[in-house]
Amino acid sequence: ILGESDTGKEVVARKLHYFSARRDKPFVPINCGAIPSELLESELFGHEKGAFTDAREMHRGKFEVAEGGTILLDEIGDMSLGGQAKLLRVLEQKVITRVGGSQSIPINARIIAATNQDLAQAVAEKRFREDLLYRLRVLEVKLPSLRERVSDLPALCSYLIAGISRDRKLALSEEALAVLKPHTWPGNVRELRNALEHAAAVC
């Protein structure tokens, strides 16, 4: 799933999961850019007791937790090259090995990757593995930015205001909507939500 920050990539991933045959199994998101590269392997694949300092007990990784369901690898473009190599091996072999372990554990999880980066450019710059890109690019979904879908503003605003106002009966006037439409929304849906929360607070 490709798109700028805050265009709703995780929302789309959750919809893909909950409208699929895997909906009764776990949906497990992980932000690859928020986890230090030295800890990513343990987070994804788990570790055995004593595998490293402070590993006081066995830990199941995200792939095991997502068994039968879906794992979202968000910000996949920020994953280290070493992490990419290990992920590619898992995608090819469909087994994981916990850090400090020797047992191969079969996995059955749908993999959804998301990024706001141009992965083709990252491949050209040697920041992303070309073979991993080919492996992930089975089906590609490109999300437009908010400035590319201004016609969605009324529906989005109604939805967001309903969540913001709760028991208060707030609605967006035509004048307010006319003010919102010309804005370029570099922060996409999150920026829109913040603007509406500010307006609701002022009202």
Side-chain angles (χ1 to χ4, degrees):
I1 303 177
L2 305 174
E4 294 179 9
S5 295
D6 301 313
T7 49
K9 295 186 291 295
E10 184 171 338
V11 173
V12 171
R14 286 182 183 275
K15 291 295 183 185
L16 288 171
H17 173 74
Y18 288 115
F19 281 94
S20 76
R22 295 176 181 262
R23 60 185 167 272
D24 296 326
K25 299 296 183 179
F27 175 84
V28 180
I30 181 168
N31 187 328
C32 300
I35 300 171
S37 57
E38 62 272 15
L39 298 179
L40 187 64
E41 187 177 1
S42 172
E43 280 296 308
L44 289 176
F45 313 134
H47 62 253
E48 297 290 354
K49 181 179 179 180
F52 49 83
T53 306
D54 293 333
R56 297 187 177 90
E57 57 186 28
M58 187 275 286
H59 168 72
R60 295 170 69 227
K62 301 296 187 186
F63 275 93
E64 283 186 82
V65 173
E67 180 63 23
T70 302
I71 182 168
L72 170 63
L73 300 172
D74 201 5
E75 306 301 345
I76 188 80
D78 292 330
M79 184 179 281
S80 69
L81 288 170
Q84 292 173 34
K86 289 167 183 168
L87 175 61
L88 178 63
R89 187 170 67 248
V90 168
L91 296 181
E92 293 289 350
Q93 300 176 357
K94 294 182 172 53
V95 296
I96 60 165
T97 304
R98 296 189 192 119
V99 177
S102 57
Q103 179 185 0
S104 294
I105 303 168
I107 57 159
N108 171 24
R110 174 195 284 124
I111 311 299
I112 299 179
T115 184
N116 59 12
Q117 297 189 33
D118 182 340
L119 292 183
Q121 181 180 344
V123 167
E125 295 172 355
K126 308 295 185 188
R127 293 184 291 108
F128 201 83
R129 292 181 63 109
E130 189 173 25
D131 47 5
L132 178 58
L133 177 58
Y134 291 147
R135 190 66 185 81
L136 291 172
R137 202 184 248 170
V138 176
L139 177 64
E140 191 172 278
V141 178
K142 176 78 167 68
L143 299 187
S145 64
L146 189 51
R147 66 185 168 276
E148 296 174 285
R149 50 188 174 116
V150 176
S151 60
D152 288 346
L153 267 177
L156 271 171
C157 288
S158 295
Y159 174 78
L160 293 170
I161 288 171
I164 293 167
S165 60
R166 293 188 178 90
D167 53 343
R168 293 183 295 159
K169 303 293 184 184
L170 293 181
L172 199 66
S173 68
E174 288 298 322
E175 293 82 1
L177 189 58
V179 170
L180 297 178
K181 282 183 176 179
H183 187 58
T184 56
W185 301 107
N188 290 295
V189 178
R190 181 171 294 168
E191 183 185 1
L192 175 63
R193 181 188 294 112
N194 290 345
L196 293 173
E197 285 177 348
H198 173 79
V202 171
C203 288

